[in-house]
Amino acid sequence: MKKTNLTFIAAILLCGLSAQPVPSIVGPYKAVNPYKYSIVKNAVYSHGAVSSAHPLASQVGAAMLKRGGNAFDAAIATQLALAVVYPGAGNIGGGGFLLARRTNGELIGLDYREAAPSKASRDMYLDKNGNAQVSLSQNGHLASGIPGTIAGLFASLTYARLPFRQLIQPAIDLAEKGFVITEREANNLNNSRESFIKYNTKPTIFVKPVKWKAGDTLVQKELAATLRRIQKNGAKGFYEGETAQLIVEEMQRGNGIIQLEDLKNYTAKLREPLKFEYRGHHIISFAPPSSGGILLAQMLKMIEKYSVKNMGFQSAKSVQLMIEAERRAYADRAEHMGDPDFWKVPVSALTSDAYLTQRMADYQPEKAGQSVHVKPGIIKESEETTHLSVIDADGNLVSVTTTLNGGYGCKTVVGGAGFLLNNEMDDFSVKPGVPNMYGAVGGEANAIAPGKRMLSSMTPTLMMKDNKPYLTIGTPGGTTIPTSVYQALVNLVDFNMTLSDAINKPKFHHQWLPDEVYVEKEFIAATKQELEAMGYHIQERPSIGRTEAIRIMNGGKREAVADVRGDDSVAGY
Ligand code: GLY
């Protein structure tokens, strides 16, 4: 790992606690030691870089870059490694979005969001009295949508250089030989122990007789076998044959509804990326079925005519303005956004200058708005998602956000196949006005229908500066995703912060309903008091997002930054 011009490196020696024989390698590349690794928060590389939620996954991606792969190769290998080393959100049983800009200027938006099974129905989570049973949309077999990740990886292979068998080998080795877990992972597994027991029909590797602790080795033999079937048979190794059979048998044991045909018929889809300008910067983000790109465009454009810079970073004035933009954008999410194959999402209208100017017409500086008076505009959409960013030596930018929805998804592991299923069905509006696990409400646009993709907040984003590729960024965090990316971009563009500061400074979040402003613990106390005096309800909450970003510096080096809020780590060469 070449680290030059280090502005800040938090290199924490995590592991090496076990007396394992150290094969010192994952795959044939002699590059990754699963028993001893460090977290690197910020580094500058000459050629290519990866930033992801786990050091081993970033190292696997960087090894692919070094080996001659491009950003797509690295993104595929990193996602597969995350499915092993970051079981809370990395996945093959979930879905995601890949946004990319190739060096020839081509933009790619790949949607591999989960879809509702063919037996799903609009009222499937309502009891006989019409009450929503969100425990069913959030936990166990019925919560899972048809997984999209493997279809997405094979769709993105079109743009890659290396053979898939090489890209998946590190993940197979990590699952087969095991890796040592961090303290955070140990705590997360321990916290989910009861749920794993409750929502599984067979014993799972994630439950041990004793508690997990940092330095324990997690070996996942069944997952390794599943990954080998995918290595041998391609996407059919997941969507057909033994793996598909194991998924359907798991569904039958737990009253789930995914069938063989649902798996066989699943396809990834190309979506035209959303493009807009913000203070002279060209921004590219994801279109529906994510709400993320529209929300990001709306919020940035609503504040563009104000001098946020002069108001000052996280002054009560600038935060209030930004909150009011958040409130109005999220009101539109609830009413207008859903899967575009099922619902006409008025993307151009929602992001037009005229509409957004009118949307802010009732904004009053220094006075809290009230969501009860802010209706959706009239025009005739645990937070365990994960993001990874890659820039390669040629300048290809890749931004991938992928998810199981909640931490460890629906908590159900496919018996015999070793991977967790998502609980993405909860991202649909199970009943108009009933909040999902993120407190978000929705209506007809995001109602359940067979084959429909549930509305997402994932916001993989790219930015051009002076017409040149500049930044790849994104984060997990459920409905806080668009507001996190929004604040990171304002920090970069308006406040000219370093990339580290732009993603690590305390965040705040408002999503229309509930009418609350959520702030991280480190949020400036004086600003909080001023906002309360204006009439805002402020609530402190656990950390918001885990943003991963890479930028191309003047001179061409790549600065990679991983969020301080998790085990997130960068790698490159
Ligand atoms: N499951 C989180 C999202 O897609 O927004």
Side-chain angles (χ1 to χ4, degrees):
M1 175 169 56
K2 183 174 178 188
K3 290 175 246 160
T4 54
N5 183 26
L6 300 180
T7 50
F8 168 62
I9 296 182
I12 305 158
L13 193 62
L14 280 170
C15 303
L17 304 177
S18 58
Q20 307 289 335
V22 178
S24 92
I25 164 56
V26 166
Y29 314 116
K30 312 280 180 213
V32 179
N33 181 342
Y35 305 116
K36 193 172 180 190
Y37 53 90
S38 315
I39 291 174
V40 182
K41 289 296 183 193
N42 180 340
V44 175
Y45 301 98
S46 301
H47 304 284
V50 181
S51 179
S52 85
H54 198 284
L56 290 171
S58 294
Q59 288 175 22
V60 163
M64 296 302 166
L65 292 176
K66 202 164 176 183
R67 195 180 166 79
N70 62 19
F72 295 91
D73 293 287
I76 293 168
T78 303
Q79 284 174 84
L80 287 162
L82 282 168
V84 181
V85 300
Y86 188 39
N91 69 81
I92 59 173
F97 299 120
L98 175 145
L99 180 70
R101 183 187 185 277
R102 301 174 84 187
T103 45
N104 63 5
E106 182 189 359
L107 298 179
I108 298 153
L110 200 52
D111 161 8
Y112 44 102
R113 180 74 165 160
E114 299 91 327
S118 53
K119 281 192 158 174
S121 57
R122 179 195 170 94
D123 296 337
M124 64 187 277
Y125 298 110
L126 303 188
D127 66 14
K128 61 180 186 330
N129 300 317
N131 296 321
Q133 299 199 290
V134 291
S135 60
L136 292 177
S137 64
Q138 293 178 5
N139 302 301
H141 301 68
L142 204 56
S144 183
I146 305 162
T149 295
I150 293 299
L153 297 187
F154 280 95
S156 50
L157 195 62
T158 316
Y159 311 101
R161 283 188 195 136
L162 300 175
F164 188 78
R165 71 185 145 73
Q166 288 182 19
L167 302 176
I168 198 172
Q169 189 62 45
I172 293 172
D173 290 345
L174 285 162
E176 183 85 41
K177 296 172 185 161
F179 66 100
V180 293
I181 63 169
T182 63
E183 188 177 351
R184 189 182 303 271
E185 188 65 58
N187 290 340
N188 289 342
L189 287 169
N190 292 333
N191 291 340
S192 292
R193 187 173 196 280
E194 298 315 314
S195 298
F196 287 139
I197 292 169
K198 186 167 175 191
Y199 297 114
N200 279 284
T201 60
K202 296 202 161 187
T204 140
I205 199 73
F206 300 120
V207 176
K208 291 199 301 174
V210 294
K211 284 193 163 181
W212 291 96
K213 59 183 186 325
D216 283 349
T217 301
L218 176 59
V219 176
Q220 299 170 83
K221 296 274 186 201
E222 289 181 346
L223 176 57
T226 299
L227 294 171
R228 277 195 204 289
R229 287 193 289 278
I230 296 166
Q231 185 182 46
K232 186 163 169 235
N233 301 317
K236 287 187 176 175
F238 184 89
Y239 291 103
E240 298 181 40
E242 188 177 344
T243 312
Q245 191 61 40
L246 289 168
I247 294 171
V248 171
E249 285 169 12
E250 184 60 59
M251 288 290 135
Q252 286 163 353
R253 284 194 298 276
N255 297 322
I257 55 172
I258 298 176
Q259 306 180 92
L260 286 174
E261 285 301 303
D262 290 329
L263 294 163
K264 197 171 168 189
N265 292 337
Y266 183 88
T267 52
K269 298 182 181 183
L270 283 170
R271 303 284 185 193
E272 181 150 347
L274 201 80
K275 298 163 279 208
F276 61 95
E277 304 292 320
Y278 178 64
R279 299 198 204 280
H281 295 70
H282 185 63
I283 296 174
I284 304 146
S285 195
F286 217 91
S290 186
S291 62
I294 296 178
L295 293 178
L296 184 65
Q298 288 190 305
M299 294 184 294
L300 287 171
K301 286 161 73 104
M302 277 191 253
I303 66 169
E304 194 174 20
K305 52 169 61 78
Y306 301 86
S307 178
V308 179
K309 184 179 173 182
N310 286 346
M311 293 177 182
F313 170 68
Q314 287 190 358
S315 66
K317 273 190 178 160
S318 67
V319 174
Q320 192 228 350
L321 173 71
M322 292 175 73
I323 289 170
E324 291 304 327
E326 292 177 1
R327 184 197 307 278
R328 286 158 176 77
Y330 278 78
D332 283 349
R333 180 190 197 274
E335 178 76 12
H336 294 298
M337 302 184 213
D339 182 343
D341 295 340
F342 287 73
W343 183 264
K344 193 167 171 5
V345 183
V347 181
S348 309
L350 286 169
T351 55
S352 74
D353 290 334
Y355 173 70
L356 294 169
T357 302
Q358 170 250 312
R359 205 82 180 93
M360 285 296 270
D362 57 353
Y363 160 67
Q364 290 184 49
E366 299 182 35
K367 181 154 185 270
Q370 287 184 298
S371 292
V372 69
H373 300 310
V374 175
K375 300 295 175 208
I378 297 161
I379 298 188
K380 292 274 150 150
E381 183 204 12
S382 128
E383 309 183 356
E384 292 302 331
T385 296
T386 188
H387 181 82
L388 64 104
S389 289
V390 189
I391 300 183
D392 64 20
D394 294 336
N396 292 300
L397 311 182
V398 174
S399 183
V400 178
T401 315
T402 172
T403 184
L404 286 171
N405 199 18
Y408 305 104
C410 69
K411 313 286 197 301
T412 299
V413 178
V414 177
F419 62 89
L420 282 150
L421 289 167
N422 65 83
N423 57 348
E424 221 71 61
M425 291 297 283
D426 192 58
D427 269 348
F428 279 117
S429 172
V430 301
K431 182 180 177 184
V434 171
N436 70 5
M437 62 190 284
Y438 303 111
V441 292
E444 197 53 40
N446 191 30
I448 304 171
K452 189 172 174 182
R453 299 184 182 202
M454 55 294 287
L455 184 62
S456 173
S457 297
M458 294 188 284
T459 314
T461 295
L462 309 173
M463 189 161 84
M464 309 283 288
K465 193 175 174 182
D466 303 327
N467 291 322
K468 290 202 242 49
Y470 178 61
L471 180 78
T472 164
I473 190 166
T475 181
T479 47
T480 69
I481 294 173
T483 51
S484 284
V485 175
Y486 164 57
Q487 288 166 51
L489 293 184
V490 168
N491 289 347
L492 277 176
V493 172
D494 294 76
F495 297 114
N496 203 22
M497 286 185 192
T498 64
L499 194 53
S500 269
D501 280 350
I503 70 176
N504 290 322
K505 288 282 184 193
K507 302 219 182 76
F508 54 92
H509 173 73
H510 192 290
Q511 60 177 45
W512 182 52
L513 294 177
D515 194 349
E516 303 281 342
V517 181
Y518 298 96
V519 297
E520 291 186 300
K521 190 159 66 164
E522 300 77 13
F523 189 77
I524 303 167
T527 300
K528 182 171 171 265
Q529 279 164 12
E530 280 186 63
L531 290 168
E532 279 168 339
M534 291 177 196
Y536 290 94
H537 299 126
I538 316 262
Q539 266 193 50
E540 198 176 290
R541 53 153 283 164
S543 60
I544 298 179
R546 286 169 60 169
T547 307
E548 326 291 6
I550 306 175
R551 73 181 177 114
I552 301 179
M553 306 165 76
N554 285 336
K557 291 194 171 173
R558 279 77 169 118
E559 183 188 20
V561 179
D563 201 307
V564 293
R565 294 169 179 86
D567 294 334
D568 314 50
S569 189
V570 305
Y573 75 108

